[in-house]
């Protein structure tokens, strides 16, 4: 009997059937249990003979069932591990990926170049007071230069002050000089606004301002800074640069800087050809501006420039239309490798 039942247990292929088998044999009303109940009716001698045999049989069956159960459970676990296995060598599903906007990339790069040669970064608000954006920069009310700027004006506030969206980053010059004593060596990258829109102008654009004020600063310093910047930014040992006399109320003398380039088949190439593209305005800080911030022009002098970041970004990648930078068109960003 023992070997018959043990064989049935070992042959059992699933846990439910094993349980049925256990109930049928050693459950309360199971075959072996019922047989053991017969013991009560036996004579003492028979009890002595069969008692231990039955007990041994029961132990063997309990152990056999437990072993089989453990084996079946292990099989089930292995089967589950097998079927739920993850193939980590499969490629992942593509997920949309963010990237740094080209203008931000240029801004970071420009900042890095200037911080390497000793400039620190200054900031000012985009919603600016008329005083910082114009008056302190030697552009009084009614000055024709205000019209040059196509200013976005904000409604007057309670105290009758009219704020503007800053038309350039030059107000940061004033804020810097009013915040503490010279010397100053700062750049101020940021957004600027003018009511203007065509292939090379957008109502919102970016500039980086530079201001250097110390004793004995002259135009040679200005020229070197700009040349050094262009060499690094355009990765050319020999960039063609032209200083063209110009006018800004806050610098004297003033110049505009053009970079030598070629316009070929709707593309712009740097370091070739004999065309010119304007990239910045610059000059020696006007004595009037220094006086406006209580500096003595006989003691302190310096230079400033304001560069169009979007312009140099166009040049760097040969992108002919500035408006594309702000159209948020993923296909365009992908085409130029600005998005994955
Ligand atoms: N702020 C001028 C502009 O926006 C540029 C400039 C800055 C010129 C500093 C001279 C000095 O056109």
């Amino acid at each position: 009997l023992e070997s018959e039942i043990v064989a049935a247990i070992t042959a059992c292929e699933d846990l439910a059937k094993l349980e049925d088998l256990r109930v049928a044999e050693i459950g309360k009303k199971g075959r072996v249990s019922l047989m053991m109940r017969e013991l009560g009716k036996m004579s003492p001698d028979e009890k002595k003979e069969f008692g231990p045999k039955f007990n041994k049989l029961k132990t063997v069956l309990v152990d056999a069932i437990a072993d089989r159960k453990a084996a079946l459970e292990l099989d089930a676990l292995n089967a589950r591990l097998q079927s739920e296995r993850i193939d980590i060598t499969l490629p992942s599903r593509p997920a949309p990926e963010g990237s740094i906007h080209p203008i931000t990339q240029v801004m970071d790069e420009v900042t890095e170049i200037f911080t390497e040669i000793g400039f620190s970064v200054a900031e000012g608000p985009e919603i600016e007071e008329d005083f910082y954006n114009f008056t302190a920069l030697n552009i009084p009310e009614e000055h024709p230069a205000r019209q040059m700027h196509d200013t976005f004006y904000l409604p007057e506030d309670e105290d009758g002050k009219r704020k503007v969206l800053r038309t350039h980053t030059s107000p940061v010059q004033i804020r810097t000089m009013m915040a503490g004593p010279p010397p100053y060596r700062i750049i101020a990258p940021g957004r600027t606004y003018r009511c203007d829109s065509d292939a090379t102008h957008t109502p919102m654009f970016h500039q980086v301002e530079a201001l250097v004020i110390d004793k004995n600063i002259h135009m040679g310093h200005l020229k070197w800074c700009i040349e050094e910047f262009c060499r690094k930014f355009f990765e050319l040992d020999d960039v063609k640069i032209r200083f063209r006399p110009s006018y800004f109320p806050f610098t004297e003398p003033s110049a505009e800087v053009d970079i030598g380039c070629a316009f070929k088949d709707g593309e712009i190439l740097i370091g070739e050809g004999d065309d010119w593209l304007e990239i910045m305005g610059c000059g020696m800080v006007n004595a009037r501006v220094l006086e406006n911030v209580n500096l003595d022009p006989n003691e302190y002098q310096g230079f400033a420039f304001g560069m169009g970041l979007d312009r140099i970004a166009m040049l760097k990648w040969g992108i002919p239309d500035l408006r594309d930078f702000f159209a948020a068109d993923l296909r365009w960003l992908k085409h130029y490798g600005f998005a994955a």
Side-chain angles (χ1 to χ4, degrees):
L1 184 65
E2 183 185 310
S3 52
E4 178 204 318
I5 302 175
V6 170
I9 290 170
T10 343
C12 196
E13 284 302 340
D14 76 64
L15 285 162
K17 282 192 185 128
L18 185 65
E19 177 61 10
D20 291 347
L21 198 59
R22 188 190 66 79
V23 172
E25 300 294 356
I26 55 169
K28 260 197 187 131
K29 288 182 181 146
R31 184 154 58 136
V32 175
S33 307
L34 291 177
M35 273 159 60
M36 284 173 84
R37 230 174 268 172
E38 297 295 312
L39 267 175
K41 296 174 193 158
M42 290 179 185
S43 68
D45 283 347
E46 283 173 322
K47 277 187 191 165
K48 243 191 203 151
E49 190 194 339
F50 290 110
K53 283 192 180 165
F54 276 131
N55 279 332
K56 187 184 153 261
L57 174 62
K58 191 164 177 196
T59 326
V60 169
L61 296 183
V62 167
D63 288 351
I65 288 169
D67 287 353
R68 188 63 194 150
K69 197 175 171 201
L72 286 175
E73 278 170 353
L74 185 65
D75 286 352
L77 180 63
N78 283 334
R80 210 177 123 194
L81 287 176
Q82 191 69 29
S83 69
E84 291 177 3
R85 196 166 68 178
I86 294 167
D87 184 352
I88 57 162
T89 66
L90 283 175
S92 59
R93 285 184 199 96
E97 213 176 271
S99 54
I100 310 279
H101 190 275
I103 298 293
T104 311
Q105 287 182 37
V106 165
M107 208 187 251
D108 291 346
E109 204 176 316
V110 169
T111 304
E112 198 177 307
I113 293 173
F114 282 112
T115 49
E116 255 172 39
I117 55 177
F119 286 79
S120 55
V121 176
E123 281 183 339
E126 288 172 34
I127 296 174
E128 185 57 284
E129 286 169 36
D130 188 285
F131 172 77
Y132 294 103
N133 197 82
F134 294 122
T135 313
L137 286 164
N138 197 30
I139 318 174
E141 201 91 41
E142 314 307 331
H143 191 288
R146 290 206 177 195
Q147 277 135 46
M148 271 164 47
H149 279 205
D150 305 305
T151 313
F152 284 115
Y153 288 97
L154 276 82
E156 262 179 35
D157 52 14
E158 301 93 68
D159 52 11
K161 271 196 198 163
R162 197 173 49 174
K163 289 195 172 173
V164 300
L165 292 183
R166 66 178 180 190
T167 56
H168 50 178
T169 42
S170 300
V172 184
Q173 288 187 35
I174 304 299
R175 288 182 174 274
T176 303
M177 292 190 284
M178 286 177 70
Y184 311 108
R185 271 182 207 83
I186 59 104
I187 56 160
R191 292 200 179 99
T192 46
Y193 302 84
R194 284 182 209 179
C195 189
D196 204 351
S197 183
D198 60 38
T200 51
H201 298 85
T202 50
M204 186 279 299
F205 60 107
H206 299 81
Q207 287 190 336
V208 59
E209 192 81 8
L211 174 72
V212 173
I213 302 280
D214 205 340
K215 296 171 178 172
N216 309 316
I217 296 290
H218 55 73
M219 248 184 134
H221 297 121
L222 166 63
K223 189 161 178 271
W224 181 84
C225 274
I226 291 171
E227 282 173 354
E228 176 66 7
F229 165 76
C230 289
R231 280 191 290 268
K232 288 205 172 139
F233 184 79
F234 294 108
E235 297 166 86
L236 289 170
D237 290 335
D238 188 29
V239 242
K240 260 201 310 177
I241 289 173
R242 172 171 88 173
F243 284 74
R244 183 164 38 78
S246 184
Y247 170 77
F248 298 102
F250 35 93
T251 46
E252 180 60 34
S254 303
E256 278 170 305
V257 179
D258 297 335
I259 189 156
C261 63
F263 295 95
K264 258 192 217 157
D265 320 313
E267 265 197 281
I268 318 169
L269 300 163
I270 296 289
E272 294 180 32
D274 39 32
D275 287 309
W276 297 95
L277 202 104
E278 181 197 324
I279 57 166
M280 69 176 88
C282 66
M284 299 308 290
V285 175
N286 193 317
R288 298 283 291 271
V289 173
L290 295 173
E291 281 161 5
N292 287 345
V293 296
N294 291 319
L295 288 178
D296 178 359
N298 294 314
E299 192 180 359
Y300 287 103
Q301 308 81 41
F303 65 82
F305 60 81
M307 179 164 49
L309 277 176
D310 320 82
R311 288 284 175 82
I312 63 166
M314 291 171 81
L315 289 174
K316 181 143 193 155
W317 286 295
I319 290 164
D321 194 324
L322 182 56
R323 290 165 295 194
D324 290 334
F325 277 116
F326 310 116
D329 184 336
L330 206 52
R331 291 165 307 174
W332 180 86
L333 289 165
K334 279 180 181 158
H335 172 74
Y336 281 99
F338 300 140

